[in-house]
Structures are given as structure tokens and as C-alpha cells.
Amino acid sequence: MKFNTKTIHGGQKPDPAYGAVMPPIYQTSTYVQTTPGGHKGFAYSRSHNPTRQALENAFASLENGAFGLAFGSGMAAIDAVMKILKPGDEVICTNDLYGGTYRLFTKIFEGFGIKFHFVDMQKASNIEGFINEQTKLIWVETPTNPMLNIIDIVAIAKIAKQHIVLLAVDNTFATPYLQQPLDLGADIVMHSATKYLGGHSDLVMGALIVKDKALADQLYFIQNASGAICGPQDAFLALRGIKTLHVRMQRHCENGKAVAEFLNTHPKVEKVYWPGFENHPNHDIAKAQMSGFGGMVSFVAKGNNYDEAIKFVENLKVFTLAESLGGVESLCGHPASMTHASIPKEEREKIGVVDSLIRLSVGIEDEADLIKDLSQALG
């Protein structure tokens, strides 16, 4: 089944009760049992829910995985992966990392005795010097948030397998439409489904997808035991959003390219970060492992002035100044004061998150309106 068909039919079947084409919202906490333990596969909705199960099947199908899990947020999904580990274990992470992930690792799991190494993975061999007997997990974002750095998943996966280390890839920015990490050698794929998978800024959700049953069983146990599940209403909304993922991503990519090219020639813009440029670091790797370059664009205005950056985001009319990304509407963020504020300034600036960096989530509006809005705000 081709990807565009999978978004609509992958892992799905009509509801057995009445043949509903869309899985119904099973807004229930518990289910009738004919005898203790005698039920139709569902006993309590923290453990299993038919609407959530339909969504988890869809997640697995999109990423060419065998098992999908849906959580109450992207952070809850990452938290579940971290709970596979134990005190003394070590994790090698991308140094250009979403601020919430950095906060979870450093403020919570470091306190439980897990050690994290934040490494520039743009050259895969950089991780070799950090691997030892305690290394149990490599955590990758690609493209990264917000610098849009590209990491070679195949090369990292080869190193991980040599050392019998799990590889997890946060695929939120690329989506399975553009990149499928399990096929490139990853063990776990994570999504903040709040973003492109949901696509309409109306839910908060996380996803994990794996191929290995033993790993899936570990994660299912953690999901049930910890209870950080999504509700059936959000599962329904995510299922609806997934059905248009392919057509939305086509427009996100088209508009992202147009915006990146406009900014790249603007006299007030110092630097544009977008993997589609031939001079973007690891552009060739992006071409090899992705089918397009997505709708995320970051840039720095000339002068690197904090006040001018704030003035710019406040003056936008079509782009909305807001947290998050991946919705049909175009969003704008100031990472240093928003998504990455939890990372110390010195650490932020080492990876390029300077005070004037702006991150754009380019939506599916008319291209001309988006460029006109950016032009007036820069002016």
C-alpha cells in the first residue's frame, strides 16, 4: 500500500458494531465482562480503548512499524522511553535538542542517575568517543529543533547496532511523509503528534512506533503502568488529521521552499536555516533520507538584535506568534524566549539559538500572503 493510501486506510477497518467508516469515539472508562477476565479485548480504558487502538494501528502503518502507542503528549512518549533505562545508564543525545526534551533529561532523569551526553551528531562518528558499556540509548532529532540540522540516521544506526545500543529518532519535524526512520535502522520512532500528525492545533498527543515485539511489550507495560495515555476524543481528532497528512505536507513543503528562498535573498536577513539549500550542512544526507525538506524554516536577522526580533514577531499579521508547530496555520516562534528558554543561554548560543533567531512553521495558506506578511514585518 502506497503512503497516500496508508494515511486513509493504513491499519484501519470499519467498526465491527455497525460498520462505521470512521472509528467511533468510545467515551467509556470500563467494559462489561461476562465472567472475571471474560471480555471482548477491552477491560479498562487506561489499558486499551478501541478509538486509541485504531489510532495506534494507524501510527504503526505510517512508519512501517509493527506496533504503535499513543500518549497524552510528546513529552509523555519520551518519558516512557526513558523509563526503559535504570540508574547508571547513559544516553547520547543530539546537542541541538527541543527545549522540553532537554529539560526532561537534565531536570528529571539526571536526578534518577541517568547520564546524558549532548553531542553534535552532524558527523555521525562524533558519537563514537562517548559510547561505553553503560550506553543504552542514542536519542536523535533530525531535522533538529530549531536549527534544522540533519543527522545521518543510517550511519548512526550502524554504530548503534555495532554496540548493541537502542536508537530512537524524534521524527516530528519530518513526519513519516518525508522520512521513515525504522526503515533506516532506528529501533524507536517518536512523534509529538500535536504537530503535523494532528495538523490542526486542536490536540496534544505523543506517539511511539517500533518493530520489535519485546521492545513493544516493554513500552506497552510502561504506558499502562504509568497511565500517560491520550483520551478517545483526541485519538479521534488525530485519526481525522492523519487522513489529510499527505496533502497537507505537500503544501507545507511548497510554501516552506518559497518562504526560505524569499528570506534567503532579503537584505535584512543574515542567515536562513532550511535543509533544501545546497549549502545547508548535510544537504546531501537530507536528500538521501528524506523525500522533501518540510515546512520548518529558521532565520537570523542582520544585527542579531533581541529587541528587533521581538518587534518582528509582534508585527506579523498572517503568521501567528504562538508555541507549537505543524498546524495548517503558519506559526512564528522566538526560541530563546519560548521553546528553548529552559536551556541556559550559554548552552543555547553554542548551538546557534541566538537571541535574534526566529523559527517559522510555514502553514498551507496562500504563498503570496505569507511572503507579503514577512516582507511587511521585516520592513
Side-chain angles (χ1 to χ4, degrees):
M1 190 181 289
K2 300 296 185 182
F3 186 86
N4 291 358
T5 308
K6 278 186 178 183
T7 62
I8 297 167
H9 299 290
Q12 302 303 295
K13 55 186 178 181
D15 182 69
Y18 298 104
V21 172
M22 276 298 289
I25 302 171
Y26 282 89
Q27 195 70 52
T28 185
S29 60
T30 192
Y31 306 81
V32 170
Q33 301 188 27
T34 54
T35 188
H39 51 73
K40 298 180 179 180
F42 301 92
Y44 187 61
S45 277
R46 186 188 69 245
S47 303
H48 300 94
N49 175 280
T51 316
R52 190 174 87 232
Q53 186 176 80
L55 174 63
E56 292 175 333
N57 291 341
F59 284 155
S61 175
L62 290 176
E63 286 284 8
N64 293 334
F67 308 94
L69 300 91
F71 294 84
S73 68
M75 298 313 305
I78 300 172
D79 179 80
V81 175
M82 292 300 111
K83 286 174 178 170
I84 293 173
L85 308 175
K86 63 182 187 300
D89 288 346
E90 297 188 11
V91 181
I92 301 172
C93 321
T94 313
N95 66 335
D96 172 19
L97 197 64
Y98 167 55
T101 308
Y102 179 89
R103 180 178 57 217
L104 180 71
F105 290 175
T106 59
K107 302 300 183 183
I108 296 179
F109 283 98
E110 276 190 354
F112 296 149
I114 297 170
K115 185 175 182 179
F116 295 88
H117 302 280
F118 298 94
V119 179
D120 180 355
M121 296 188 189
Q122 291 181 83
K123 187 176 180 181
S125 60
N126 287 350
I127 70 174
E128 291 272 20
F130 295 90
I131 296 178
N132 56 50
E133 291 182 359
Q134 284 70 49
T135 308
K136 297 297 185 293
L137 175 69
I138 300 170
W139 186 272
V140 167
E141 282 182 16
T142 183
T144 62
N145 181 6
M147 302 308 298
L148 298 167
N149 291 322
I150 299 297
I151 295 168
D152 189 337
I153 297 172
V154 171
I156 298 287
K158 184 178 179 181
I159 295 169
K161 285 176 171 50
Q162 285 174 350
H163 296 276
I164 317 176
V165 174
L166 287 173
L167 171 60
V169 176
D170 182 337
N171 202 31
T172 299
F173 271 26
T175 81
Y177 178 78
L178 299 177
Q179 178 175 273
Q180 294 173 328
L182 293 180
D183 290 347
L184 299 173
D187 300 291
I188 303 170
V189 173
M190 176 269 167
H191 285 276
S192 173
T194 309
K195 314 305 194 296
Y196 286 107
L197 295 186
H200 294 79
S201 301
D202 55 6
L203 61 91
V204 175
M205 185 182 293
L208 296 175
I209 304 96
V210 302
K211 286 186 175 182
D212 180 74
K213 186 178 186 304
L215 181 57
D217 287 345
Q218 267 189 293
L219 292 168
Y220 280 127
F221 176 83
I222 292 166
Q223 180 194 44
N224 181 46
S226 296
I229 55 154
C230 68
Q233 174 71 33
D234 283 349
F236 178 86
L237 290 171
L239 276 164
R240 186 181 65 171
I242 283 170
K243 290 184 184 295
T244 59
L245 176 64
H246 56 305
V247 291
R248 287 186 287 107
M249 287 306 299
Q250 290 169 16
R251 180 57 64 86
H252 284 301
C253 289
E254 291 167 4
N255 284 356
K257 180 176 187 290
V259 164
E261 290 177 344
F262 164 75
L263 291 170
N264 202 41
T265 59
H266 198 284
K268 290 190 176 181
V269 174
E270 180 73 33
K271 175 72 175 175
V272 181
Y273 301 93
W274 180 66
F277 290 136
E278 289 188 4
N279 64 352
H280 187 90
N282 285 350
H283 168 73
D284 289 341
I285 293 170
K287 281 175 58 178
Q289 69 186 20
M290 300 172 69
S291 60
F293 303 110
M296 299 301 299
V297 180
S298 294
F299 73 97
V300 176
K302 286 184 177 176
N304 189 24
N305 186 291
Y306 177 89
D307 292 335
E308 287 297 315
I310 299 303
K311 182 179 178 182
F312 168 80
V313 299
E314 290 177 346
N315 283 338
L316 289 165
K317 308 299 181 186
V318 179
F319 281 82
T320 300
L321 176 59
E323 301 277 359
S324 201
L325 59 103
V328 291
E329 67 289 317
S330 291
L331 298 176
C332 177
H334 180 245
S337 64
M338 296 169 69
T339 55
H340 290 65
S342 61
I343 300 176
K345 180 180 174 68
E346 182 180 341
E347 295 301 316
R348 288 198 308 263
E349 293 189 343
K350 282 180 184 177
I351 59 173
V353 183
V354 295
D355 283 347
S356 63
L357 183 76
I358 306 297
R359 189 191 74 182
L360 302 176
S361 172
V362 184
I364 65 173
E365 302 94 339
D366 192 281
E367 169 191 315
D369 289 327
L370 297 176
I371 290 175
K372 182 179 179 181
D373 189 34
L374 293 168
S375 181
Q376 67 82 22
L378 283 166

